Amino acid sequence: MIPLDGQPILTAGEMRAAEEATMVAGTSVDTLMERAGEGVAVAVHRLAAGADIVILCGPGNNGGDGYVAAAALHRMGAAVRVAASGAPASPAAVRAAARWHGPVEALAQAEPATILVDALFGTGLSRPLADEVAAPLHRLARAARLRIAVDVPSGVGSDDGAVLGAATCDITLALEAAKPAHLLQPAAQACGTVRLIPIGVPVVSHTHVLSSPLPEGERDMACVAPSITLPTPGPNSHKYTRGMVAIVAGGMAGASELASIAAMRAGAGYVLHLGEGQGPPHALVRKIFSADALQDARIGAIVVGPGLGRDDATRRMLDASLAAHRPLVIDGDALRLIDPTTIPAGSILTPHGGEFSHLFGQEGDKITRTRRAAAQTGAVIVHKGPDTVIAAPDGRVTVAGEGSPWLSTAGTGDVLAGAIGAMRAAGLDPFAAAGAGVWLHGAAARRLGPAFIADDLADALSAVRG
Ligand SMILES: NC(=O)C1=CN([C@@H]2O[C@H](COP(=O)(O)OP(=O)(O)OC[C@H]3O[C@@H](n4cnc5c(N)ncnc54)[C@H](OP(=O)(O)O)[C@@H]3O)[C@@H](O)[C@H]2O)[C@@H](O)CC1
Ligand SMILES: Nc1ncnc2c1ncn2[C@@H]1O[C@H](COP(=O)(O)OP(=O)(O)O)[C@@H](O)[C@H]1O
Ligand SMILES: [K+]
């Protein structure tokens, strides 16, 4: 079982195409189903640790995986039963079901078991679960001690992360690749912990799970996703090569202070805070805002938006930031003020859901929407939330899997903008800088645990810099 870190994410259509290409190359669907079912059986056997198991099988190939897993678990000596929502319908599922020689209970009357394996529907779900399926699924899930989904929990939209009647599982065994539903809310929550089971289908994708940074030198050894790199100083580094970040401060001073401290703690060599405030940290260089101050050619990133305000004066500050022709991180109020047609290519935008909808509308799933916005603007878009999606104008997307729900507190977005500013000023390209900033932010939050405040989060960035 492989963790999701850095893995490709495929839509149902992309997964089907990859499966078909594998079949054209000579591997039958039965072989793929055999590998899927065997892989599921091995994982379930280990997780069940001798407890009784019921496998719920649907009519399609997801159900087929369930029948194969049932037969394999029986051979392994497990106490396994099968309950089906109806007769198998796909040809491969019919053949798989014929290999299960035990009884098949009707789903509606099925007895619960300690371990529930949900193989009713996978990526082929085409509509919400009907009550006659959802009700017994939820009844059996409530009665089980451990709920394991095959590929995706039955009753989630694989591509858009909608919940269409699924029961929440503890573990999801994703076949070959991650699916959007494993990352996008609300489905991701119904998946529990997601682990991959390889079944020998070669997959390529422009969409990946955000990976943890690899130690320097190991980058080329990574066989999966594009890994992220955290820039680290060398013997010849000085404060300007480490990166100079200018933070434009507005009416709500606390927000830009948080962004400044975050930029420092994420590793910037020099942070210039352009605003009225005073006080520590002493290493923060404070100047009154002026368009001239933004002309310093050493500035590697300007962060504009946290606590900026939305009046005429702040609009002029935004205009000066755009006119400075330095790499930009555009956040918060600046996202409300800006005309999307004036966003300089190569900028990084960090909208939360409301800011994103205001700029780009709400049509489509989160990955598609974010990718489209990046292509439209030529900017990297960090579409925040419990399922942060980062899209580049060339179509690459990463989705941040592990955040922390404790990030849902005021000011954490300002911290993210500062952290991304530091990564950009250190010389990472916009897409890499966004990924590195989002990773640092999530890692700092996980390290802090519960009930931290944004000030703690900014400080904790140092500890996860590595
Ligand atoms: N990709 C790979 O390489 C491999 C993939 N494999 C596995 O295949 C899975 C995908 O299989 P799949 O395409 O057969 O779809 P699946 O999810 O079983 O459901 C389709 C069936 O359900 C029906 N149906 C749909 N919604 C319904 C509803 N709400 N309520 C009631 N019925 C509903 C639908 O009928 P219809 O929509 O036509 O009415 C159809 O009969 C994938 O997740 C993985 O587990 C492995 O076996 C091998 C390698
Ligand atoms: N439930 C959650 N789980 C994980 N991350 C979250 C959650 N809620 C918010 N976040 C993250 O916290 C940050 C909040 O940013 P934002 O909404 O701009 O807040 P603020 O404007 O108060 O700083 C974003 O990085 C977002 O991805
Ligand atoms: K399933």
Side-chain angles (χ1 to χ4, degrees):
M1 289 199 284
I2 301 167
L4 278 198
D5 205 52
Q7 294 292 332
I9 302 174
L10 272 78
T11 62
E14 289 168 340
M15 199 63 224
R16 255 194 314 275
E19 185 189 353
E20 272 158 27
T22 312
M23 293 193 307
V24 168
T27 307
S28 71
V29 64
D30 299 71
T31 301
L32 295 178
M33 194 173 279
E34 178 72 24
R35 292 176 190 162
E38 290 280 343
V40 167
V42 169
V44 170
H45 192 245
R46 211 165 62 216
L47 292 162
D52 62 316
I53 302 160
V54 63
I55 303 190
L56 312 184
C57 294
N61 288 354
N62 194 250
D65 299 340
Y67 288 108
V68 174
L73 280 161
H74 180 72
R75 282 198 307 277
M76 293 171 189
V80 57
R81 294 181 290 114
V82 169
S85 59
S90 77
V94 170
R95 292 191 291 274
R99 295 172 48 193
W100 166 249
H101 301 299
V104 177
E105 299 165 33
L107 182 66
Q109 283 86 45
E111 289 293 324
T114 311
I115 311 293
L116 176 100
V117 177
D118 166 12
L120 285 170
F121 306 104
T123 52
L125 187 91
S126 54
R127 55 194 179 278
L129 295 187
D131 278 353
E132 59 262 33
V133 174
L137 169 63
H138 283 259
R139 172 177 63 79
L140 294 164
R142 272 195 305 276
R145 294 262 304 277
L146 188 72
R147 292 145 284 262
I148 304 168
V150 177
D151 210 10
V152 290
S154 302
V156 300
S158 192
D159 290 354
D160 65 4
V163 170
L164 306 166
T168 296
C169 290
D170 303 290
I171 297 173
T172 292
L173 302 172
L175 300 173
E176 192 61 58
K179 318 295 176 314
H182 297 135
L183 285 305
L184 296 183
Q185 297 297 350
Q189 202 184 359
C191 292
T193 302
V194 183
R195 290 288 179 268
L196 286 192
I197 296 193
I199 57 169
V201 175
V203 291
V204 280
S205 180
H206 275 102
T207 314
H208 286 87
V209 182
L210 183 66
S211 74
S212 305
L214 287 175
E216 264 184 78
E218 282 187 27
R219 208 174 166 170
D220 293 337
M221 289 157 57
C223 56
V224 285
S227 62
I228 61 169
T229 318
L230 299 178
T232 38
N236 297 322
S237 298
H238 55 72
K239 61 191 175 206
Y240 295 118
T241 58
R242 291 247 320 250
M244 179 174 181
V245 183
I247 308 278
V248 177
M252 198 194 282
S256 51
E257 297 276 336
L258 283 170
S260 286
I261 295 166
M264 298 172 91
R265 293 293 182 192
Y270 189 126
V271 179
L272 177 62
H273 187 91
L274 296 172
E276 303 281 334
Q278 285 184 347
H282 304 301
L284 183 59
V285 181
R286 294 174 183 277
K287 280 191 189 163
I288 299 296
F289 178 87
S290 71
D292 278 352
L294 290 174
Q295 294 301 324
D296 187 333
R298 294 170 302 187
I299 292 174
I302 298 173
V303 178
V304 59
L308 188 66
R310 300 183 199 174
D311 56 26
D312 286 347
T314 54
R315 189 180 288 275
R316 282 193 292 278
M317 293 161 96
L318 172 60
D319 289 344
S321 305
L322 295 173
H325 301 296
R326 310 301 309 153
L328 282 169
V329 179
I330 305 173
D331 182 51
D333 288 330
L335 294 167
R336 299 283 179 181
L337 290 174
I338 202 161
D339 167 356
T341 62
T342 65
I343 294 167
S347 300
I348 303 171
L349 271 61
T350 54
H352 59 51
E355 290 155 349
F356 185 94
S357 300
H358 162 78
L359 279 170
F360 305 113
Q362 280 186 309
E363 206 183 311
D365 66 83
K366 188 166 179 176
I367 292 175
T368 305
R369 270 187 290 156
T370 311
R371 181 177 268 135
R372 195 169 49 219
Q376 253 170 38
T377 55
V380 164
I381 312 284
V382 180
H383 190 171
K384 296 183 295 193
D387 45 8
T388 295
V389 176
I390 307 166
D394 64 6
R396 284 172 300 156
V397 167
T398 56
V399 186
E402 281 180 291
S404 158
W406 292 104
L407 279 170
S408 51
T409 180
T412 52
D414 309 320
V415 172
L416 178 67
I420 293 175
M423 296 296 104
R424 183 76 180 103
L428 296 188
D429 69 58
F431 188 59
V438 169
W439 184 86
L440 280 172
H441 191 247
R446 290 192 295 280
R447 188 182 175 100
L448 286 169
F452 58 79
I453 62 171
D455 303 57
D456 304 330
L457 185 68
D459 286 342
L461 290 169
S462 312
V464 294
R465 266 304 323 250

